[in-house]
Amino acid sequence: MASMLVEAEIWTVARTDQGNAVLVRPLGSEVAVPIFIGQLETQSILIGLGNVPMPRPLTHDLFITLLKSLSVEIDRVEITNLNEGTFFAQLLLKKEAAEEITLDVRPSDALGIAVRTKCPIFISEAVVDEAGIPITSITEQAAEGGETAGTENERETLENELKLAVESENYEEAARLRDLLKELDNEQNRNS
């Protein structure tokens, strides 16, 4: 029996004791599903969330460019199942006369693509019921731990990109990244 899907969003990306996690929250819900992902996937999602332009395309950017060149549109991402601690996802594509193509993908890749294309994200209600945790418990842990992990990861990514921009003498990009870091600092100060 297939579970109903509900629209969701990436609530935050966090560093935890168990590793990096992207927290997917059904819209309007007080519950989020932590999906643990690797460091590279974390950086890719944060770069996509921050709209940080890269000097060369990352894998997700390349995939999106390839689909566009084939006249294939990314319709949505679905996180469909959780089996023995492993999450499963699908990328739904549309080609020409509403021909739909479904690809099995890792949730981290699906989310990396979704943040770049702004396509809708859906999650299975059964997955939310099984793996969801109250948002209040997450915000309480973040308050006890000081700076939120999502902000920390975003800062690290921006600092690395700033360093690369300066090394490649791309000073216009370096100035833009510096300004983003200042905005992040100002936001942290307001939330303190």
Side-chain angles (χ1 to χ4, degrees):
M1 183 170 119
S3 173
M4 268 192 59
L5 295 170
V6 294
E7 193 163 1
E9 65 184 348
I10 294 177
W11 185 58
T12 191
V13 179
R15 185 177 299 156
T16 72
D17 294 339
Q18 294 104 7
N20 296 320
V22 59
L23 288 113
V24 177
R25 179 178 91 167
L27 297 181
S29 175
E30 293 302 314
V31 173
V33 176
I35 301 173
F36 290 91
I37 59 177
Q39 182 61 34
L40 292 175
E41 292 83 358
T42 301
Q43 286 185 339
S44 183
I45 290 171
L46 288 171
I47 288 168
L49 285 169
N51 294 315
V52 178
M54 301 299 291
R56 305 283 299 148
L58 296 176
T59 305
H60 295 120
D61 302 312
L62 173 64
F63 183 75
I64 292 165
T65 301
L66 175 64
L67 289 177
K68 284 181 183 175
S69 72
L70 296 172
S71 301
V72 176
E73 180 182 320
I74 298 169
D75 186 45
R76 67 186 181 275
V77 163
E78 296 178 351
I79 300 168
T80 57
N81 197 9
L82 174 60
N83 187 2
E84 296 180 17
T86 301
F87 289 89
F88 294 84
Q90 296 178 334
L91 189 61
L92 281 81
L93 311 170
K94 285 196 177 177
K95 183 171 172 70
E96 295 172 2
E99 176 188 346
E100 194 169 272
I101 302 166
T102 302
L103 300 175
D104 288 325
V105 294
R106 298 182 312 170
S108 58
D109 290 329
L111 296 171
I113 290 166
V115 297
R116 286 166 170 76
T117 62
K118 310 291 188 245
C119 74
I121 300 169
F122 289 86
I123 190 166
S124 162
E125 286 183 332
V127 170
V128 175
D129 291 343
E130 184 175 343
I133 56 176
I135 290 174
T136 53
S137 69
I138 299 165
T139 53
E140 287 167 6
Q141 288 174 0
E144 291 169 9
E147 180 180 36
T148 63
T151 303
E152 186 177 313
N153 285 337
E154 187 175 358
R155 167 170 276 300
E156 184 178 319
T157 300
L158 289 172
E159 287 173 345
N160 288 336
E161 294 309 315
L162 176 60
K163 182 179 175 187
L164 289 172
V166 170
E167 287 173 359
S168 65
E169 298 181 359
N170 184 350
Y171 299 116
E172 186 175 314
E173 177 65 7
R176 192 186 71 75
L177 291 166
R178 179 204 62 213
D179 292 344
L180 287 173
L181 282 164
K182 283 181 183 177
E183 287 176 30
L184 191 62
D185 288 340
N186 291 338
E187 184 177 316
Q188 283 179 307
N189 290 336
R190 283 192 300 269
N191 293 334
S192 297

